[in-house]
Amino acid sequence: MRRLLPVVLLALLLAACGTSKPPPSEPPPGQEPDPSPEPDSTTVRLTIPPEHLPLVQLVAFQDDEGSWTELEKGAGPYQLEVTDSSGRYGIALVCLHSPVGDEDGNDSRPYLEPIIVQTTVDEFSSLTLPCIEALYGHDDWNGSGNLTGAVSNFEPVNGERLYFSAGPRDIGFIPSANPSFSLAGLSDGVFDLIVSLRPDGQAITRLAVKHDVEVSNGAAHVELDWDTSHAVEVYELTVNGTQADDEMWVFSSLETKNGTRAYFGDAEAATPGSEYRIQFRAAPVEVLQQGDLQSLYLSAEDGSGQIRAVQRFFTAGQDLEVDLPEGDLNLTATPVAGPYPRFELAWDEVGATLNSSYISYDTDELETGWDVLITRGWLSANSYTLPDLSDLDSWNPVWNASDPEIDFTYNWFNALFEPLDEAMDSYINWYERQEGEYRSLGVSFGQEE
């Protein structure tokens, strides 16, 4: 298929030449008017973050459910003409991420990230679509800097463990009085240090936070006074809408403004009835600064494997009451033949504003994870088939994987219930936390047992 110039460039060229669309002419005498006039069109604006362009391998556009047309790679903005009377269109963005060493220094395989958005002009007439994986930021996993320090006024009792966390690094041990510590492998940058006390190795009972610790030229040293620590606070949680066979999972956490996390522990138990009560932990406001945010995640998995989930982001802890989302997806996933693993998905209506699907699989050369986002307005039925993009010029045959024994790692279908803008933003920019509540129904599919 021929690669096309971005429509915006073509529009600028036409404007420079003074070209405009002529009015329709009358048919010659004796000739009937054309019963199929040229359809009206609506312009959609698409932008790709310029810093992600080195990762972008392919950009394509779909008008209604027609064939996919490849666009010339660029940041845009693209001006895409949608002629479908319902305003339905699709965007495909394929990104390729280089291998990134894990925390033990091991290299992973390249990660292929095809992203599909199926929506309407009424819902999104302007769209900025990034390479989602690039938003995570892996640079701080590859540093060689050391953050060292010591804790004063600390006296261990009964073998409690202290945990030290900064950015992606953490260590835990049973310390002596006034212990020293060292966190290796950090890049230069600004981090928050969390020191937490965990008597059972899991649930935090006390913590202290040292904000804005700068690692510069591969090193930093910090002194922390344990007298600045505070006891973790405990609150009551009531969950409405549970079922007799649900398995509950509840955990709470803190993420500081500079990306250091503390997990307060979790609780798991069978649920006998329509209401579930449990306690959860949260950090006191005395250890927080502006930009620090806490979260509570809870899920109920029923006997069919469907998970109803609620995530609440907040600053100060408080007793909470939440309602689980209602409905049953009854998802079916039928494999579809093609150059790479594809599925036809069908599900029941549950009132979601946004449906998403993540399909991931590994080969010896590549890890692949498809992100598919389908808005409510685009759907004409509650079904979807992953598209075949392999005939586009920039699709690399190396990306195909038709082996029936393919190693699926994680396939997931999700129904989101927030207002559409919030649901889309929370999916793409999930790392940007904002106070509020997010509710979803989800189920895994098509995985090897």
Side-chain angles (χ1 to χ4, degrees):
M1 183 174 290
R2 182 171 60 90
R3 298 184 69 182
L4 304 178
L5 285 171
V7 177
V8 64
L9 177 58
L10 180 58
L12 289 173
L13 290 173
L14 292 175
C17 297
T19 305
S20 61
K21 183 178 178 180
S25 58
E26 293 293 326
Q31 182 176 323
E32 294 294 326
D34 184 355
S36 302
E38 183 178 337
D40 294 332
S41 63
T42 303
T43 301
V44 170
R45 180 184 178 96
L46 169 66
T47 304
I48 299 169
E51 62 272 21
H52 293 184
L53 282 180
L55 305 172
V56 174
Q57 309 296 303
L58 184 157
V59 186
F61 170 69
Q62 182 189 43
D63 188 6
D64 190 20
E65 292 186 89
S67 60
W68 288 87
T69 300
E70 185 170 350
L71 308 174
E72 185 168 310
K73 186 177 76 173
Y78 296 92
Q79 305 290 346
L80 306 172
E81 298 300 322
V82 178
T83 63
D84 172 58
S85 60
S86 300
R88 301 165 77 236
Y89 70 93
I91 301 293
L93 181 69
V94 180
C95 306
L96 183 63
H97 304 266
S98 299
V100 177
D102 63 20
E103 58 183 331
D104 296 319
N106 301 314
D107 287 336
S108 63
R109 286 158 290 182
Y111 179 71
L112 185 71
E113 182 187 33
I115 304 166
I116 306 291
V117 178
Q118 308 276 190
T119 186
T120 67
V121 174
D122 286 343
E123 292 168 314
F124 290 103
S125 60
S126 180
L127 186 65
T128 297
L129 191 59
C131 297
I132 300 175
E133 185 76 12
L135 299 174
Y136 302 177
H138 295 289
D139 292 343
D140 50 8
W141 287 90
N142 299 322
S144 57
N146 292 324
L147 172 58
T148 60
V151 179
S152 60
N153 295 315
F154 176 83
E155 188 69 37
V157 179
N158 300 326
E160 297 104 328
R161 288 181 175 270
L162 270 185
Y163 281 75
F164 299 84
S165 304
R169 303 299 180 192
D170 62 83
I171 58 172
F173 57 88
I174 300 175
S176 59
N178 303 324
S180 60
F181 65 91
S182 178
L183 290 167
L186 291 171
S187 63
D188 283 358
V190 178
F191 302 92
D192 300 316
L193 173 68
I194 299 177
V195 182
S196 56
L197 183 67
R198 307 184 187 188
D200 57 3
Q202 293 294 326
I204 296 176
T205 59
R206 196 171 189 89
L207 79 163
V209 182
K210 187 81 168 182
H211 289 88
D212 300 326
V213 177
E214 184 175 1
V215 177
S216 180
N217 297 320
H221 185 83
V222 60
E223 300 286 336
L224 186 142
D225 186 349
W226 190 244
D227 285 346
T228 65
S229 67
H230 288 264
V232 166
E233 297 175 343
V234 179
Y235 296 96
E236 299 295 327
L237 170 66
T238 301
V239 184
N240 298 317
T242 57
Q243 301 172 1
D245 63 346
D246 282 345
E247 291 291 333
M248 295 295 299
W249 186 29
V250 178
F251 75 87
S252 55
S253 63
L254 163 69
E255 183 174 350
T256 66
K257 61 181 182 179
N258 292 313
T260 300
R261 294 180 176 87
Y263 298 95
F264 295 112
D266 59 74
E268 187 175 0
T271 307
S274 61
E275 184 181 88
Y276 179 76
R277 293 180 180 272
I278 196 172
Q279 293 181 324
F280 71 96
R281 299 175 179 88
V285 294
E286 288 83 358
V287 302
L288 305 179
Q289 287 188 0
Q290 185 175 0
D292 297 345
L293 200 60
Q294 307 194 69
S295 68
L296 173 70
Y297 174 86
L298 61 101
S299 65
E301 182 174 0
D302 63 23
S304 68
Q306 177 178 261
I307 294 177
R308 290 168 292 150
V310 177
Q311 188 165 20
R312 178 77 70 86
F313 291 100
F314 56 91
T315 300
Q318 60 181 317
D319 295 339
L320 293 176
E321 182 173 1
V322 299
D323 298 319
L324 290 171
E326 299 178 351
D328 292 295
L329 289 167
N330 294 316
L331 183 77
T332 59
T334 306
V336 176
Y340 47 78
R342 300 169 61 218
F343 291 92
E344 179 185 358
L345 304 175
W347 61 93
D348 289 352
E349 171 62 37
V350 292
T353 60
L354 179 69
N355 295 288
S356 69
S357 183
Y358 182 73
I359 300 173
S360 62
Y361 45 87
D362 294 347
T363 65
D364 291 340
E365 298 81 19
L366 197 65
E367 299 177 58
T368 299
W370 286 78
D371 280 292
V372 181
L373 295 160
I374 311 164
T375 65
R376 184 181 182 89
W378 186 89
L379 290 171
S380 56
N382 290 316
S383 61
Y384 184 78
T385 300
L386 190 70
D388 182 358
L389 304 180
S390 63
D391 62 344
L392 299 180
D393 286 352
S394 295
W395 184 269
N396 190 333
V398 174
W399 302 340
N400 294 333
S402 56
D403 187 346
E405 302 299 324
I406 193 73
D407 181 17
F408 288 104
T409 55
Y410 183 70
N411 294 342
W412 185 258
F413 182 86
N414 221 29
L416 308 175
F417 294 93
E418 295 74 50
L420 181 58
D421 285 350
E422 293 179 25
M424 182 73 79
D425 186 60
S426 68
Y427 188 94
I428 293 177
N429 299 299
W430 63 267
Y431 68 102
E432 289 186 353
R433 303 141 300 124
Q434 298 182 14
E435 290 201 22
E437 184 175 282
Y438 300 87
R439 304 163 69 245
S440 65
L441 291 176
V443 64
S444 62
F445 65 89
Q447 301 185 72
E448 298 293 328
E449 298 294 335

